[in-house]
Amino acid sequence: MLHASATSYVLKPGIAKITCEPNWKWLKREKPLENFDLFYVWSGEGQVVLNDQPYEVSKGSCFLFRPGDHTSATHHPQKPLTLTYIHFNIDAGVTEIPKPYRQLTETVDFEHLLARFVRLHVTQPFGAEVETQLVLKQLMIYLLREECEEPQERKLSQQLTTSVHEVANYIRQNPGLSHRIEDLAKRAQLSPRYFSVKFKELIGVSVQNYIIRSRIERAEHLLHHAGMNVTEVADALGYRDIFFFSRQFKQYTGRSPSEIR
């Protein structure tokens, strides 16, 4: 699934996000499944039986049923299941397949992809068929990646991502401060060199460029909406040389600050 092209994913009828009725049940059929089926639980409690193996399910329970599987399910009427299911085939040779069941603990990113998939399928905007195939492949990659990483590695990776994004948010909220790499790295509890590398990797630009961009974006806002002149804006954002501020502003926006004012 990892190396199959996105266009190899063929969607089948039966794609939805639903909250099951109190008396809902998924009865086992004599005929096994003919397609792959991604089955994800958003909330509720119940039990899924896969090839005679029972699984207690709740938020984060995720199955990838395969052709040939026998399945059934029930749920707690007072805690009905809300779930997404996606039926699909792959028109290509498949070697790497996510395992049949896992309990996701970090669900935000996976649920975001699922929600996008269902929204595309329901609304059918321009390019929906191609994009749904791409999102479905992303979902498979997510599951495969989780299997390749040890739990501790995932935890450290998530902590690192959160720390770097929190620092980026701090810069945007305080563009006028004199941000030193050493201080920002300390805030993220990383060495300056490693912080700089991970910041560019996760945010997409170097720390210094991000600081400048945050200042210039704030400068544009102040010039447009705060009634401040160029000198006042430059001073508010930590520039001691108005000519340097003007050059940097024009470099990033293509216009001088006086044109904005």
Side-chain angles (χ1 to χ4, degrees):
M1 288 187 172
L2 181 61
H3 300 294
S5 67
T7 54
S8 299
Y9 288 77
V10 181
L11 300 178
K12 297 294 182 180
I15 296 169
K17 178 182 178 182
I18 62 168
T19 297
C20 301
E21 298 77 11
N23 62 347
W24 172 88
K25 62 178 62 176
W26 183 8
L27 297 177
K28 182 178 179 180
R29 299 178 181 178
E30 290 186 14
K31 188 177 180 181
L33 293 178
E34 297 179 352
N35 317 118
F36 288 99
D37 187 354
L38 179 62
F39 181 102
Y40 178 78
V41 177
W42 294 77
S43 63
E45 295 179 4
Q47 184 184 78
V48 170
V49 179
L50 171 59
N51 298 327
D52 298 323
Q53 172 67 44
Y55 297 88
E56 299 302 317
V57 299
S58 57
K59 177 178 175 59
S61 295
C62 183
F63 292 85
L64 181 64
F65 303 130
R66 294 159 166 72
D69 283 346
H70 288 274
T71 57
S72 64
T74 57
H75 70 161
H76 194 304
Q78 278 73 48
K79 298 179 181 178
L81 292 178
T82 296
L83 53 89
T84 290
Y85 52 85
I86 302 171
H87 300 296
F88 65 97
N89 274 337
I90 300 182
D91 286 346
V94 177
T95 55
E96 297 175 275
I97 303 177
K99 61 186 181 181
Y101 170 74
R102 88 270 327 285
Q103 182 70 36
L104 298 176
T105 54
E106 298 294 334
T107 62
V108 174
D109 290 341
F110 193 76
E111 289 181 354
H112 174 76
L113 289 170
L114 278 176
R116 180 162 185 78
F117 182 95
V118 173
R119 186 166 59 251
L120 287 166
H121 180 73
V122 171
T123 61
Q124 289 294 307
F126 174 78
E129 181 179 356
V130 175
E131 191 170 354
T132 50
Q133 290 174 317
L134 291 168
V135 175
L136 180 54
K137 181 166 184 177
Q138 283 183 283
L139 287 163
M140 295 301 105
I141 291 172
Y142 183 100
L143 296 178
L144 286 168
R145 179 181 295 142
E146 190 191 55
E147 293 171 18
C148 294
E149 295 178 346
E150 293 297 326
Q152 185 61 23
E153 290 177 344
R154 287 201 301 274
K155 183 177 179 181
L156 291 174
S157 176
Q158 290 156 3
Q159 289 175 341
L160 175 61
T161 299
T162 299
S163 295
V164 170
H165 278 277
E166 285 179 347
V167 171
N169 188 52
Y170 172 73
I171 293 170
R172 288 190 66 83
Q173 291 178 343
N174 302 277
L177 296 182
S178 179
H179 296 295
R180 299 190 317 135
I181 297 292
E182 292 78 8
D183 296 334
L184 296 172
K186 185 177 181 180
R187 192 178 187 90
Q189 298 183 319
L190 300 170
S191 71
R193 182 176 180 279
Y194 188 63
F195 169 74
S196 297
V197 170
K198 300 310 292 185
F199 189 97
K200 187 170 184 179
E201 178 184 314
L202 293 168
I203 305 301
V205 295
S206 69
V207 182
Q208 196 58 42
N209 280 340
Y210 192 83
I211 292 170
I212 296 171
R213 190 174 73 185
S214 298
R215 286 175 179 165
I216 299 305
E217 288 176 357
R218 181 60 178 166
E220 283 189 288
H221 177 83
L222 293 175
L223 289 167
H224 269 299
H225 305 292
M228 298 169 67
N229 61 37
V230 176
T231 300
E232 290 171 333
V233 170
D235 185 63
L237 292 171
Y239 290 92
R240 298 296 170 255
D241 185 336
I242 191 172
F243 299 105
F244 176 71
F245 166 68
S246 297
R247 287 198 304 271
Q248 198 168 77
F249 188 96
K250 188 170 185 178
Q251 178 185 351
Y252 274 76
T253 66
R255 295 181 294 176
S256 68
S258 57
E259 292 179 73
I260 303 293
R261 184 69 179 89

